Amino acid sequence: MTVLIIGGGASGLMAAITAKKLAPDTRVVIAERLDRVGKKILATGNGRCNFSNLNANTANYHGKVPSFVNNALKEFTVADTVNFFNEIGVFPREEHDGRLYPYSLQASAVLDALRQKCDMLGVETLTGKNVKEITVKKGALKAVFEGGERMSADRVILAAGGCASPSLGSDGSGFEILKKLGHTVTQLSPALVQVKTDTKPIKGLSGIKIEGTATLIWGEKVLGSDSGEILFTDYGLSGPPIFQLSAKMPFKNDLTIALDFMSEYSLRQVYEVLEGRKKALSGLTMEGFFNGLLNKRLGNLIARAAGIEKLSFKVSELDRDMLWSLARLIKEYKINVTGLNGFKNAQVTAGGALTDQFSQYTMQSKFIENLYCCGEIFDIHGDCGGYNLQWAWSSGYLAGKNAVQQ
Ligand SMILES: Cc1cc2nc3c(=O)[nH]c(=O)nc-3n(C[C@H](O)[C@H](O)[C@H](O)COP(=O)(O)OP(=O)(O)OC[C@H]3O[C@@H](n4cnc5c(N)ncnc54)[C@H](O)[C@@H]3O)c2cc1C
């Protein structure tokens, strides 16, 4: 029997290892369009590879039917992932919020270990093989490569990823292959990406980094909140909390981000801090009022947003209402979201293969016998923090296992 895996990314490598481990006599072949497998793994976690998260559960995943991940996460759990990586030499290191990395903090260690395991098991790897189409005739599957070459397989696992970061291999061609086979691909959007906003409220702040909390509001509803370093850019916002919130943004309009620049303090406490500064700094103008409290450019912008147009305005003339306005703006500075940055810079794809058309127990297509999918190609994307790779490992395991056992 031959199992052909299209795509040598995280999920494809896991599917190959699982299939070959469970059925050593099976020919397992990975066809990868780039000149090497696992290029994206090298870029993950800023080159450190945040390969899983101890807290992974359905709530960390998004898509039309997030519960599609349930069975995969149960069959190949985070603990199984840690064991698997330990077995192939990758000792885990836990960082904040349950994030797991290789102890050496090198993404290359994860890829090397996966490649070595593939080699040891006898998985065949064909690089520079761009699959354009899968044909099905009388139940027999054939992959058609660019240039016309064909390869027959008893089982095909499509692990071609989404559209995010195409320079690392996933250019959306997997979606085209699925559509030709009659599968539905839901609307696509970049996710885990920088956010475009109304630029007026952030004018002049480009390049500034602040520690704060960002809260995502959709109409009246709070969708999530995250703290850390927030970066202002000329088009909007970036930084880990923004990436995290961007996972919840695809396909929604009317989104606002509220920034809290002093999240350890309540509104009243911020007011009291400002009141104290008014007394202490009464000889200054607004030019110096925020000095040592907020970034200067941010302070100036907040003063203007509170209606204090001139920086020559005397601190001694700040009245109670003005102090409350400033305090409110420091605690809740609202910026309208206008969009997301493109796939070029995105870490994952929101949307993908409609999960209703696949079995969550086997990852097999309900339309095409012997066709399986795994990883980001599905209409599933996770939060930032190791959840996307966990999905790649868990779904890859299920696809590899069922391709040889069904
Ligand atoms: C910069 C960056 C940082 C990230 N950091 C993290 C992180 O720290 N933690 C985390 O959990 N997630 C992270 N992610 C997300 C995570 O890497 C992906 O969700 C995961 O790699 C998806 O695995 P996959 O196997 O489904 O797809 P991919 O890893 O995209 O692999 C798909 C493979 O298929 C190949 N391919 C595509 N089309 C074809 C074709 N037609 N024929 C042949 N081959 C094809 C591609 O070249 C590629 O090698 C990051 C993503 C990026 C871009």
Side-chain angles (χ1 to χ4, degrees):
M1 180 164 88
T2 301
V3 175
L4 173 65
I5 297 165
I6 301 172
S11 67
L13 290 166
M14 178 55 93
I17 290 169
T18 308
K20 195 70 184 165
K21 248 171 136 178
L22 295 174
D25 295 336
T26 298
R27 184 178 177 220
V28 177
V29 183
I30 296 176
E32 164 59 49
R33 67 184 279 264
L34 297 183
D35 57 1
R36 59 179 299 176
V37 295
K39 203 168 173 194
K40 191 180 283 175
I41 295 174
L42 296 176
T44 57
N46 279 327
R48 302 181 341 149
C49 187
N50 176 196
F51 70 87
S52 181
N53 193 302
L54 293 174
N55 306 318
N57 69 63
T58 319
N60 304 113
Y61 294 93
H62 314 278
K64 274 199 190 334
V65 187
S67 61
F68 185 74
V69 304
N70 285 353
N71 190 60
L73 292 183
K74 254 188 239 150
E75 272 217 41
F76 195 76
T77 63
V78 174
D80 294 331
T81 304
V82 171
N83 285 340
F84 168 81
F85 278 105
N86 246 324
E87 272 170 32
I88 62 170
V90 179
F91 190 72
R93 176 192 289 266
E94 185 186 338
E95 290 202 354
H96 66 286
D97 302 331
R99 293 172 191 225
L100 297 176
Y101 295 82
Y103 203 81
S104 62
L105 294 177
Q106 286 174 299
S108 57
V110 173
L111 179 57
D112 285 348
L114 290 166
R115 282 180 36 235
Q116 279 158 16
K117 189 68 187 173
C118 282
D119 289 348
M120 275 162 57
L121 290 168
V123 172
E124 291 172 50
T125 303
L126 308 173
T127 53
K129 292 284 182 193
N130 191 7
V131 176
K132 302 301 277 180
E133 195 181 350
I134 297 171
T135 60
V136 190
K137 270 198 195 120
K138 293 186 189 151
L141 300 179
K142 261 190 199 155
V144 183
F145 297 106
E146 192 173 349
E149 192 191 339
R150 283 158 196 263
M151 182 178 166
S152 304
D154 302 287
R155 311 273 190 276
V156 172
I157 300 176
L158 186 56
C163 307
S165 291
S167 63
L168 301 173
S170 50
D171 61 351
S173 54
F175 296 135
E176 299 311 314
I177 293 172
L178 277 180
K179 280 198 256 177
K180 275 193 203 156
L181 290 169
H183 272 284
T184 307
V185 173
T186 64
Q187 198 186 345
L188 303 172
S189 163
L192 300 192
V193 67
Q194 302 88 348
V195 171
K196 291 184 195 163
T197 68
D198 195 353
T199 49
K200 207 169 154 217
I202 56 166
K203 199 163 177 242
L205 298 186
S206 181
I208 290 178
K209 286 177 183 166
I210 56 120
E211 281 296 320
T213 299
T215 300
L216 181 65
I217 304 161
W218 184 32
E220 304 279 289
K221 199 173 163 198
V222 171
L223 294 184
S225 205
D226 203 55
S227 301
E229 192 176 74
I230 296 161
L231 171 68
F232 293 93
T233 67
D234 48 2
Y235 55 81
L237 298 169
S238 183
I242 302 300
F243 265 61
Q244 189 64 278
L245 294 178
S246 75
K248 298 186 169 81
M249 294 187 197
F251 319 122
K252 293 188 185 77
N253 296 318
D254 197 17
L255 289 166
T256 305
I257 291 179
L259 297 180
D260 182 346
F261 302 115
M262 288 182 73
S263 32
E264 314 88 323
Y265 296 89
S266 67
L267 176 62
R268 168 151 291 279
Q269 284 171 325
V270 172
Y271 174 81
E272 284 164 5
V273 168
L274 297 185
E275 205 179 29
R277 290 174 78 83
K278 180 189 162 181
K279 284 190 194 118
L281 308 173
S282 62
L284 298 183
T285 64
M286 286 310 283
E287 176 95 51
F289 183 61
F290 287 115
N291 190 31
L293 182 72
L294 297 180
N295 177 290
K296 192 170 178 176
R297 281 194 267 161
L298 176 63
N300 292 348
L301 206 70
I302 284 181
R304 232 172 287 131
I308 305 165
E309 287 297 334
K310 293 209 169 106
L311 292 177
S312 55
F313 189 87
K314 291 194 177 99
V315 169
S316 57
E317 287 175 15
L318 284 170
D319 63 21
R320 202 181 132 80
D321 286 349
M322 285 168 164
L323 288 174
W324 273 113
S325 294
L326 291 170
R328 271 190 215 100
L329 285 161
I330 289 172
K331 287 296 291 172
E332 198 183 47
Y333 193 75
K334 287 188 171 172
I335 306 167
N336 290 332
V337 174
T338 56
L340 291 159
N341 235 346
F343 280 113
K344 196 173 154 209
N345 300 305
Q347 291 195 358
V348 293
T349 307
L354 186 65
T355 50
D356 285 354
Q357 299 175 346
F358 290 82
S359 159
Q360 63 159 310
Y361 301 101
T362 61
M363 302 287 126
Q364 192 178 9
S365 161
K366 290 181 183 171
F367 299 169
I368 294 158
E369 217 184 339
N370 301 327
L371 175 71
Y372 300 76
C373 281
C374 53
E376 204 178 303
I377 197 164
F378 279 121
D379 172 22
I380 290 291
H381 68 284
D383 291 332
C384 192
Y387 303 102
N388 286 292
L389 281 173
Q390 183 58 54
W391 168 240
W393 312 132
S394 294
S395 59
Y397 170 85
L398 265 196
K401 175 184 154 189
N402 287 290
V404 293
Q405 288 191 343
Q406 275 197 320

